[in-house]
Amino acid sequence: MSLTSAPESGLAPLEFAVSRNLHTKSDAERAELLVDPQFGTTFTDHMIDVCWSVGGGWHRPRVQPYGPLALDPAAAVLHYGQEIFEGIKAYRHADGSIWTFRPDANGRRLQRSARRLALPELPVEYFIQSLRELIAVDGAWVPSGADQSLYFRPFMFAKEAFLGVRPANKVGYYVIASPVGAYFKGGAKPVSIWLSEQYARAGKGGTGAAKTGGNYAASLLPQAEAYEQGCDQVVFLDQDRNVEELGGMNIVFVYKDGTLVTPQSPSILEGITRDSILQLAVDRGHKVEGRSVSIDEWREGVASGDIVEVFACGTAAVVAPIGVLKGTDFIDEQPLGELALSLREELTDIQYGRREDTHGWLVRLDG
Ligand SMILES: *Cc1c(COP(=O)(O)O)cnc(C)c1O
């Protein structure tokens, strides 16, 4: 698993036209919104909008006021779901500077998602530049409270007005940003997980490894089932009853000899949080394995005491210990340990500049 490598070099930056929002929130209004921001409900004053077309390439890069998009009702995305997205955060350090975490890895993943969904591959430099351009106008929206950050949502979709089934000739790339607080109020309390036996989120050769809306659409019904069962999240299996992942988070098992095991499969979305957490574990001397883990291995491992901790991870929640696994005919209490939360603390210390970034993961976005 190598998610980091140098972006292509020698590409001239895009020349963004900036049109300022005339209804920018006042300092007082913004301060009020930043007190306790709820995930994905409040957005900054501006957004990024870049066009792509066959023949024209990437063009018309703009920073513009945040607001509704005008879409032709025949836009291909509305009919065939040709869409991809990313999730990445900006962190404010104690000296006021603004940083993001491994943006090259997100930029490369956006390219892999684009390939699978037959969308154009945005150069990684443009991806990182788009975050910088948004911070240049909306930097004041990066909150400074404990566990707060600015969540970027870059996304790309087919906007050509055409009902024929083929990759669209006109595409839009956008970035919006939303201030967020701690995902779990009052600390990372263990989550309960519903085992979806009836539904899968992805299949062999499908789009499971791409960050695309369709995978999420497929997870909504099983997620609703999880809520009905009194669970917070749903975990999916593959056709061979191997554990895949949650709807939007990867899963990691800790064994009693200190080994961390995470499912490896071509239909899992490769999380950057997972990769980073596993690297920190390797740095501490833990052994790390990517391999198949069947649901039987999970349940038997917990029953025998071989598995001593199970946690989920992703950018939004960072790390969530799993406290319960519930299936149609069982409820398995999960063992809780110290490792998940200690790795979470180490990772967030790096992200917020409280601990040395020995891997060169941080990239400054302001100034
Ligand atoms: C985004 C996502 C993750 C987590 O990826 P991170 O890079 O760690 O945020 C895991 N699974 C799915 C399905 C996702 O969409």
Coordinates of all heavy atoms in Angstrom, one line a residue, residues 149-209:
S149 N -12.1 21.4 12.6 CA -11.3 21.5 11.3 C -12.3 22.0 10.2 O -13.5 22.2 10.5 CB -10.8 20.1 10.9 OG -11.8 19.2 10.8
L150 N -11.7 22.2 9.1 CA -12.5 22.6 7.9 C -12.5 21.4 7.0 O -11.5 21.0 6.5 CB -12.0 23.9 7.2 CG -12.9 24.3 6.0 CD1 -14.2 24.9 6.5 CD2 -12.1 25.4 5.2
Y151 N -13.7 20.8 6.7 CA -13.8 19.6 5.9 C -14.0 20.1 4.4 O -15.0 20.7 4.1 CB -15.0 18.8 6.4 CG -15.2 17.5 5.6 CD1 -14.4 16.3 5.9 CD2 -16.1 17.4 4.6 CE1 -14.6 15.2 5.2 CE2 -16.3 16.2 3.9 CZ -15.6 15.1 4.2 OH -15.8 13.9 3.5
F152 N -13.1 19.7 3.6 CA -13.2 20.0 2.1 C -14.0 18.8 1.5 O -13.7 17.7 1.8 CB -11.9 20.0 1.4 CG -11.0 21.2 1.8 CD1 -9.8 20.9 2.5 CD2 -11.2 22.5 1.4 CE1 -8.9 21.9 2.8 CE2 -10.4 23.5 1.7 CZ -9.2 23.2 2.4
R153 N -14.9 19.2 0.6 CA -15.6 18.1 -0.2 C -15.3 18.5 -1.7 O -16.1 19.2 -2.3 CB -17.0 18.1 0.1 CG -17.9 17.3 -0.8 CD -17.4 15.9 -1.0 NE -17.3 15.1 0.2 CZ -18.3 14.4 0.7 NH1 -19.5 14.4 0.2 NH2 -18.1 13.6 1.8
P154 N -14.2 17.9 -2.2 CA -14.0 18.1 -3.7 C -14.9 17.0 -4.4 O -15.1 15.9 -3.9 CB -12.5 17.7 -3.8 CG -11.9 17.7 -2.4 CD -13.1 17.4 -1.5
F155 N -15.4 17.4 -5.5 CA -16.3 16.4 -6.3 C -16.3 16.7 -7.7 O -16.0 17.9 -8.1 CB -17.7 16.3 -5.7 CG -18.5 17.6 -5.7 CD1 -19.5 17.8 -6.6 CD2 -18.2 18.6 -4.7 CE1 -20.3 18.9 -6.6 CE2 -19.0 19.7 -4.7 CZ -20.0 19.9 -5.6
M156 N -16.6 15.7 -8.5 CA -16.6 15.9 -10.0 C -17.8 15.1 -10.5 O -18.0 14.0 -10.1 CB -15.3 15.3 -10.5 CG -15.0 15.5 -11.9 SD -13.6 14.5 -12.5 CE -12.2 15.1 -11.5
F157 N -18.4 15.7 -11.5 CA -19.5 14.9 -12.1 C -19.8 15.3 -13.6 O -19.3 16.3 -14.1 CB -20.8 15.1 -11.3 CG -21.4 16.5 -11.3 CD1 -22.1 17.0 -12.3 CD2 -21.1 17.3 -10.2 CE1 -22.7 18.3 -12.3 CE2 -21.7 18.6 -10.1 CZ -22.4 19.1 -11.2
A158 N -20.5 14.4 -14.2 CA -20.9 14.5 -15.7 C -22.0 15.6 -15.8 O -23.1 15.3 -15.3 CB -21.3 13.2 -16.2
K159 N -21.7 16.7 -16.4 CA -22.8 17.7 -16.6 C -23.3 17.9 -18.0 O -24.1 18.7 -18.2 CB -22.3 19.0 -16.0 CG -21.1 19.7 -16.6 CD -20.8 21.0 -16.0 CE -19.7 21.7 -16.6 NZ -19.3 23.0 -16.0
E160 N -22.7 17.1 -18.9 CA -23.2 17.2 -20.3 C -24.7 16.8 -20.3 O -25.2 15.8 -19.7 CB -22.4 16.2 -21.2 CG -22.9 16.3 -22.6 CD -22.1 15.2 -23.5 OE1 -21.3 14.4 -23.0 OE2 -22.4 15.2 -24.7
A161 N -25.5 17.6 -21.1 CA -26.9 17.3 -21.3 C -27.1 16.3 -22.4 O -27.1 16.7 -23.6 CB -27.6 18.6 -21.6
F162 N -27.1 15.0 -22.0 CA -27.2 14.0 -23.0 C -27.7 12.7 -22.4 O -27.2 12.3 -21.3 CB -25.8 13.7 -23.7 CG -25.8 12.6 -24.7 CD1 -26.7 12.6 -25.8 CD2 -24.9 11.6 -24.5 CE1 -26.6 11.6 -26.7 CE2 -24.8 10.6 -25.5 CZ -25.7 10.6 -26.5
L163 N -28.8 12.1 -22.9 CA -29.3 10.9 -22.3 C -28.7 9.6 -22.8 O -29.1 8.5 -22.4 CB -30.8 10.9 -22.3 CG -31.5 12.0 -21.6 CD1 -33.1 11.8 -21.7 CD2 -31.1 12.0 -20.1
G164 N -27.8 9.7 -23.8 CA -27.2 8.5 -24.3 C -26.2 8.0 -23.3 O -25.7 8.7 -22.4
V165 N -26.0 6.7 -23.3 CA -25.1 6.1 -22.3 C -23.7 6.0 -22.8 O -23.4 5.1 -23.6 CB -25.6 4.7 -21.8 CG1 -24.7 4.1 -20.8 CG2 -27.0 4.9 -21.3
R166 N -22.9 6.9 -22.4 CA -21.4 6.9 -22.6 C -20.8 8.0 -21.7 O -21.5 8.8 -21.1 CB -21.1 7.3 -24.1 CG -21.6 8.7 -24.5 CD -20.8 9.3 -25.6 NE -21.4 10.5 -26.2 CZ -21.5 11.7 -25.6 NH1 -21.0 11.9 -24.3 NH2 -22.0 12.7 -26.2
P167 N -19.4 7.9 -21.5 CA -18.8 8.9 -20.7 C -19.1 10.3 -21.2 O -19.0 10.6 -22.4 CB -17.3 8.6 -20.8 CG -17.3 7.2 -21.2 CD -18.5 6.9 -22.1
A168 N -19.4 11.2 -20.3 CA -19.8 12.6 -20.7 C -18.7 13.3 -21.3 O -17.5 13.2 -20.8 CB -20.4 13.3 -19.5
N169 N -19.0 14.2 -22.2 CA -18.0 15.1 -22.8 C -17.8 16.4 -22.1 O -16.9 17.1 -22.4 CB -18.4 15.4 -24.3 CG -18.2 14.2 -25.2 OD1 -17.4 13.4 -24.9 ND2 -19.0 14.2 -26.3
K170 N -18.7 16.6 -21.1 CA -18.5 17.9 -20.3 C -18.7 17.5 -18.8 O -19.6 16.8 -18.4 CB -19.6 18.9 -20.6 CG -19.3 19.7 -21.9 CD -20.4 20.5 -22.3 CE -20.8 21.6 -21.4 NZ -22.0 22.4 -21.8
V171 N -17.7 18.0 -18.1 CA -17.6 17.6 -16.6 C -17.3 18.8 -15.8 O -16.7 19.7 -16.3 CB -16.4 16.5 -16.5 CG1 -16.0 16.3 -15.1 CG2 -16.8 15.2 -17.2
G172 N -17.7 18.8 -14.6 CA -17.4 19.9 -13.7 C -16.6 19.3 -12.5 O -16.9 18.2 -12.0
Y173 N -15.6 20.1 -12.0 CA -14.9 19.8 -10.7 C -15.2 20.9 -9.8 O -15.1 22.1 -10.2 CB -13.4 19.6 -11.0 CG -12.6 19.6 -9.7 CD1 -12.6 18.5 -8.9 CD2 -11.8 20.7 -9.4 CE1 -11.9 18.5 -7.7 CE2 -11.0 20.7 -8.2 CZ -11.1 19.6 -7.4 OH -10.4 19.5 -6.2
Y174 N -15.5 20.6 -8.6 CA -15.9 21.6 -7.6 C -15.3 21.3 -6.2 O -14.9 20.1 -6.0 CB -17.4 21.6 -7.3 CG -18.2 21.7 -8.6 CD1 -18.5 20.6 -9.4 CD2 -18.6 23.0 -9.1 CE1 -19.2 20.7 -10.6 CE2 -19.3 23.1 -10.3 CZ -19.6 22.0 -11.0 OH -20.3 22.1 -12.2
V175 N -15.1 22.3 -5.4 CA -14.7 22.1 -4.0 C -15.6 23.0 -3.2 O -15.6 24.2 -3.4 CB -13.2 22.4 -3.7 CG1 -12.9 22.0 -2.2 CG2 -12.3 21.7 -4.7
I176 N -16.3 22.4 -2.2 CA -17.0 23.2 -1.2 C -16.3 22.8 0.2 O -15.6 21.8 0.2 CB -18.5 22.9 -1.1 CG1 -18.8 21.4 -1.0 CG2 -19.2 23.4 -2.4 CD1 -20.3 21.0 -0.8
A177 N -16.6 23.6 1.2 CA -15.9 23.4 2.5 C -16.9 23.7 3.6 O -17.7 24.6 3.5 CB -14.7 24.3 2.6
S178 N -16.8 22.8 4.6 CA -17.7 22.9 5.8 C -17.0 22.8 7.1 O -16.2 21.8 7.3 CB -18.7 21.7 5.6 OG -19.5 21.6 6.7
P179 N -17.1 23.8 8.0 CA -16.4 23.6 9.3 C -17.1 22.5 10.1 O -18.3 22.4 10.1 CB -16.7 25.0 9.9 CG -17.8 25.6 9.2 CD -17.9 25.0 7.8
V180 N -16.2 21.7 10.7 CA -16.7 20.6 11.5 C -16.1 20.5 12.9 O -14.9 21.0 13.1 CB -16.5 19.2 10.8 CG1 -17.3 19.2 9.5 CG2 -15.0 19.0 10.5
G181 N -16.8 20.0 13.8 CA -16.3 19.8 15.2 C -16.0 18.3 15.4 O -16.0 17.5 14.5
A182 N -15.8 18.0 16.7 CA -15.5 16.6 17.0 C -16.7 15.7 16.5 O -17.9 16.1 16.7 CB -15.4 16.4 18.5
Y183 N -16.4 14.6 15.8 CA -17.4 13.8 15.2 C -18.3 13.1 16.3 O -19.5 13.0 16.2 CB -16.8 12.7 14.3 CG -17.7 12.1 13.3 CD1 -17.9 12.7 12.1 CD2 -18.2 10.8 13.6 CE1 -18.7 12.1 11.1 CE2 -19.0 10.2 12.6 CZ -19.3 10.9 11.4 OH -20.1 10.2 10.5
F184 N -17.6 12.7 17.3 CA -18.3 12.2 18.5 C -18.3 13.1 19.7 O -17.2 13.5 20.1 CB -17.6 10.9 18.9 CG -17.6 9.8 17.9 CD1 -16.4 9.5 17.2 CD2 -18.8 9.2 17.5 CE1 -16.4 8.5 16.2 CE2 -18.8 8.2 16.5 CZ -17.6 7.9 15.9
K185 N -19.4 13.6 20.1 CA -19.5 14.5 21.2 C -19.1 13.7 22.5 O -19.5 12.6 22.7 CB -20.9 15.0 21.4 CG -21.5 15.7 20.2 CD -21.6 17.2 20.4 CE -21.9 18.0 19.1 NZ -20.8 17.8 18.1
G186 N -18.2 14.4 23.3 CA -17.8 13.8 24.5 C -16.9 12.6 24.4 O -17.1 11.6 25.1
G187 N -16.0 12.7 23.4 CA -15.0 11.6 23.2 C -15.5 10.5 22.3 O -16.7 10.3 22.1
A188 N -14.6 9.7 21.8 CA -14.9 8.6 20.9 C -15.5 7.4 21.6 O -14.8 6.5 22.0 CB -13.6 8.2 20.1
K189 N -16.8 7.5 21.8 CA -17.4 6.3 22.5 C -17.6 5.2 21.5 O -17.8 5.4 20.3 CB -18.7 6.7 23.2 CG -19.9 6.8 22.3 CD -21.1 6.9 23.3 CE -22.4 7.1 22.6 NZ -22.7 6.4 21.3
P190 N -17.5 3.9 22.0 CA -17.5 2.8 21.0 C -18.8 2.8 20.2 O -19.9 3.1 20.8 CB -17.5 1.6 22.0 CG -16.9 2.1 23.2 CD -17.3 3.5 23.3
V191 N -18.7 2.4 19.0 CA -19.9 2.3 18.1 C -20.4 0.9 18.0 O -19.7 -0.1 18.2 CB -19.6 2.9 16.7 CG1 -19.3 4.4 16.8 CG2 -18.5 2.2 16.0
S192 N -21.7 0.8 17.7 CA -22.3 -0.5 17.5 C -22.5 -0.8 16.0 O -22.9 0.2 15.3 CB -23.6 -0.7 18.3 OG -24.5 0.4 17.9
I193 N -22.2 -2.0 15.6 CA -22.2 -2.3 14.1 C -23.2 -3.4 13.8 O -23.2 -4.4 14.5 CB -20.8 -2.8 13.7 CG1 -19.7 -1.8 14.2 CG2 -20.7 -3.0 12.2 CD1 -19.7 -0.6 13.3
W194 N -24.0 -3.1 12.8 CA -24.9 -4.1 12.3 C -24.3 -4.9 11.1 O -23.8 -4.3 10.2 CB -26.2 -3.4 11.8 CG -27.2 -4.3 11.0 CD1 -27.5 -4.1 9.7 CD2 -27.9 -5.4 11.5 NE1 -28.4 -5.0 9.3 CE2 -28.7 -5.8 10.4 CE3 -28.0 -6.1 12.7 CZ2 -29.6 -6.9 10.4 CZ3 -28.9 -7.2 12.8 CH2 -29.6 -7.6 11.7
L195 N -24.3 -6.2 11.2 CA -23.8 -7.0 10.1 C -24.8 -7.2 9.0 O -25.8 -7.9 9.2 CB -23.3 -8.4 10.6 CG -22.8 -9.4 9.6 CD1 -21.6 -8.9 8.9 CD2 -22.6 -10.8 10.2
S196 N -24.6 -6.6 7.8 CA -25.5 -6.7 6.7 C -25.3 -8.1 6.0 O -24.3 -8.3 5.4 CB -25.3 -5.6 5.8 OG -26.3 -5.7 4.7
E197 N -26.3 -9.0 6.2 CA -26.2 -10.3 5.5 C -26.9 -10.3 4.2 O -26.6 -11.0 3.3 CB -26.9 -11.3 6.4 CG -26.3 -11.5 7.8 CD -25.3 -12.7 7.8 OE1 -24.9 -13.2 6.8 OE2 -25.0 -13.1 9.0
Q198 N -27.9 -9.4 4.0 CA -28.7 -9.4 2.8 C -28.1 -8.5 1.7 O -28.4 -8.8 0.5 CB -30.1 -8.8 3.2 CG -31.2 -9.1 2.2 CD -32.5 -8.5 2.6 OE1 -32.7 -8.1 3.7 NE2 -33.4 -8.5 1.7
Y199 N -27.4 -7.5 2.1 CA -26.9 -6.5 1.1 C -25.4 -6.4 1.0 O -24.7 -6.6 2.1 CB -27.5 -5.1 1.4 CG -29.0 -5.0 1.5 CD1 -29.6 -4.9 2.7 CD2 -29.8 -5.1 0.3 CE1 -31.0 -4.8 2.8 CE2 -31.1 -5.1 0.4 CZ -31.8 -4.9 1.6 OH -33.1 -4.8 1.7
A200 N -24.9 -6.1 -0.1 CA -23.5 -5.8 -0.3 C -23.3 -4.4 -0.7 O -24.2 -3.8 -1.3 CB -22.9 -6.7 -1.4
R201 N -22.2 -3.7 -0.4 CA -22.0 -2.4 -0.9 C -21.2 -2.4 -2.2 O -21.3 -1.4 -3.0 CB -21.2 -1.5 0.1 CG -19.7 -1.7 0.2 CD -19.0 -0.7 1.1 NE -18.6 0.5 0.4 CZ -17.5 0.5 -0.4 NH1 -16.8 -0.5 -0.6 NH2 -17.2 1.7 -1.1
A202 N -20.5 -3.5 -2.5 CA -19.7 -3.5 -3.7 C -19.6 -5.0 -4.2 O -19.7 -5.9 -3.3 CB -18.4 -2.9 -3.5
G203 N -19.3 -5.2 -5.4 CA -19.1 -6.6 -5.9 C -17.8 -6.7 -6.6 O -17.1 -5.7 -6.8
K204 N -17.4 -7.9 -6.9 CA -16.2 -8.2 -7.6 C -16.2 -7.5 -9.0 O -17.2 -7.6 -9.7 CB -16.1 -9.7 -7.9 CG -14.7 -10.2 -8.1 CD -14.6 -11.7 -8.1 CE -13.2 -12.1 -8.6 NZ -13.2 -13.4 -9.1
G205 N -15.2 -6.7 -9.3 CA -15.1 -5.9 -10.5 C -16.0 -4.7 -10.5 O -16.1 -4.0 -11.6
G206 N -16.6 -4.4 -9.4 CA -17.5 -3.2 -9.4 C -16.8 -2.0 -9.0 O -15.6 -1.8 -9.3
T207 N -17.5 -1.0 -8.4 CA -16.9 0.3 -8.1 C -16.5 0.5 -6.6 O -16.3 1.6 -6.2 CB -17.9 1.4 -8.5 OG1 -19.1 1.2 -7.8 CG2 -18.1 1.4 -10.0
G208 N -16.4 -0.6 -5.9 CA -16.1 -0.5 -4.5 C -14.9 0.2 -4.1 O -14.8 0.9 -3.0
A209 N -13.8 0.2 -4.9 CA -12.6 0.9 -4.6 C -12.6 2.4 -5.0 O -11.7 3.1 -4.7 CB -11.4 0.2 -5.3

